[in-house]
Amino acid sequence: MPRQRPRDRDFEFLEAMASSLLHCSDKLPFMNVETVLHMKEGLGETTMAWPFLQRRGMDTLKSLITNSAADVYLSQMPERFAVADLGCSSGPNALCLAEDIIGSIGRICCRSSRPPPEFSVLLNDLPTNDFNTIFFSLPEFTDRLKAAAKSDEWGRPMVFLSGVPGSFYGRLFPAKSVHFVCSCSSLHWLSQVPSGLLDEMNRPINKGKMYISSTSPLAVPVAYLRQFQRDFSLFLKSRAAEVFSGGRMVLAMLGRQADGYIDRRTTFLWELLSESFASLVAQGLVEEDKVDAYNVPFYAPSIGEIEEEVRREGSFRMDYVQTYEINLSSSGDARRDGRTVSMAIRAIQESMLSHHFGPEIVDALFAKYTELVTASMEREEVKSVQIGVVLTRL
């Protein structure tokens, strides 16, 4: 286990200031994240851009995920092994983690001349997720498993797959029913837009911005931190009830390496989206007040903030935590990379943007956004930061 890091300097300061700066009487236009947020349906260009970027982060953590799952299996040798993928989405990556885990355990069983366990694969996302696209891909998933089992001579596994719609900020599974949990690129999404983003006159305090920026007043990062604390604590408490003692979770989310609440690799793409909105406001296509009232339910925590919530909740031991830098400009073609990133952000954000502004502005918004992202990638490499965490149920 890595040496315990000191708490972020700004973490303690923000926490101490929170109670005096948060306002609970917010009257921003309400957005129910659980019913609004979802990946764009289907398998079109926009939809397929996000899985392409997501896979880069998943590949970085693939060995961590498969090794952790294998360790749980070897320590318990159950006849039925339950794997839950939280925030599975609906693209081609939805079954990749399950396939890798099943293959890893299958090869272990082959080497020890044991039959593989029956696998229960539990795919979770919000009720608005396009689960049908996942189910349509099941024949290919089954064929790949058969081919892998035949090649490695570990016998065809019995796999029972279920879709579990619902928010992971609450209970999803029966008590003590899951051996291994993984979640990639999901836990940076909050259960709601934080309260505390209005002043005493109910006016937005983060005007022209949709997320934490260098110009945000202190109350903005305070509000986001508090919402993350509530959500992640509830996530841990819910999983603690569901995971067997000795079971593990591997969690990957966008995060910060910087000590302060601003990490340009986390905020940069949000800043460009705010600039895109400013362009639409200047053209008279969007009302400025509507832009000021739009905030994203997103938070990129630091390692210290994650460690603190794990310590407070108390049901899990942190075995590993590490930051990884993901290069979003990896192809060397700024136009191609700019369009891929723009379409990926659109796939994630379109449902919320259409809910708040109406669908008619989305094409113009992302035309400008693609232009800005591409121009940035022509000047510099654009990167993001991902945090990988391994937790063991005590």
Side-chain angles (χ1 to χ4, degrees), residues 366-384:
F366 281 96
K368 182 62 178 178
Y369 189 61
T370 301
E371 177 187 321
L372 293 177
V373 174
T374 300
S376 298
M377 288 184 164
E378 287 172 343
R379 295 191 302 269
E380 60 182 315
E381 288 187 335
V382 175
K383 299 179 179 180
S384 66

Side-chain angles (χ1 to χ4, degrees), residues 195-210:
S195 60
L197 299 178
L198 300 176
D199 63 16
E200 294 86 347
M201 303 297 292
N202 285 317
R203 295 171 301 196
I205 62 174
N206 201 30
K207 289 189 174 183
K209 305 294 181 181
M210 63 185 66

Side-chain angles (χ1 to χ4, degrees), residues 22-29 193-199 202 223 295:
L22 284 180
H23 304 286
C24 297
S25 60
D26 286 9
K27 296 181 181 178
L28 285 171
V193 173
S195 60
L197 299 178
L198 300 176
D199 63 16
N202 285 317
N295 300 284

Side-chain angles (χ1 to χ4, degrees), residues 49-237:
W50 167 241
F52 178 76
L53 292 184
Q54 183 190 39
R55 189 62 195 243
R56 292 184 191 174
M58 290 169 62
D59 287 344
T60 302
L61 295 171
K62 178 180 176 179
S63 62
L64 187 65
I65 292 168
T66 55
N67 290 341
S68 296
D71 287 346
V72 175
Y73 173 73
L74 286 169
S75 69
Q76 303 194 11
M77 292 290 189
E79 293 182 356
R80 179 191 64 86
F81 192 80
V83 178
D85 183 353
L86 307 186
C88 64
S89 190
S90 60
N93 295 335
L95 293 169
C96 286
L97 293 177
E99 184 177 343
D100 292 337
I101 291 167
I102 292 168
S104 177
I105 294 175
R107 287 186 289 275
I108 289 172
C109 293
C110 178
R111 289 194 295 269
S112 59
S113 299
R114 293 175 56 90
E118 293 183 347
F119 291 93
S120 174
V121 177
L122 308 165
L123 300 176
N124 157 260
D125 213 311
L126 294 174
T128 48
N129 186 55
D130 183 10
F131 284 98
N132 281 339
T133 298
I134 302 175
F135 299 144
F136 283 137
S137 68
L138 282 181
E140 291 86 353
F141 171 72
T142 302
D143 288 344
R144 290 195 302 271
L145 285 180
K146 288 179 182 177
K150 183 177 180 180
S151 173
D152 295 335
E153 299 182 344
W154 48 272
R156 178 183 174 184
M158 294 291 291
V159 180
F160 302 90
L161 189 142
S162 305
V164 185
S167 171
F168 50 50
Y169 295 122
R171 288 290 301 276
L172 293 167
F173 314 113
K176 294 181 174 59
S177 64
V178 180
H179 297 92
F180 184 76
V181 173
C182 57
S183 179
C184 290
S185 302
S186 295
L187 277 163
H188 42 250
W189 293 109
L190 302 172
S191 66
Q192 64 178 60
V193 173
S195 60
L197 299 178
L198 300 176
D199 63 16
E200 294 86 347
M201 303 297 292
N202 285 317
R203 295 171 301 196
I205 62 174
N206 201 30
K207 289 189 174 183
K209 305 294 181 181
M210 63 185 66
Y211 182 56
I212 301 166
S213 75
S214 58
T215 61
S216 299
L218 182 59
V220 174
V222 166
Y224 274 96
L225 172 60
R226 271 297 172 91
Q227 187 62 50
F228 169 77
Q229 290 172 328
R230 286 192 290 267
D231 284 348
F232 194 53
S233 177
L234 182 56
F235 174 88
L236 293 172
K237 183 178 180 181

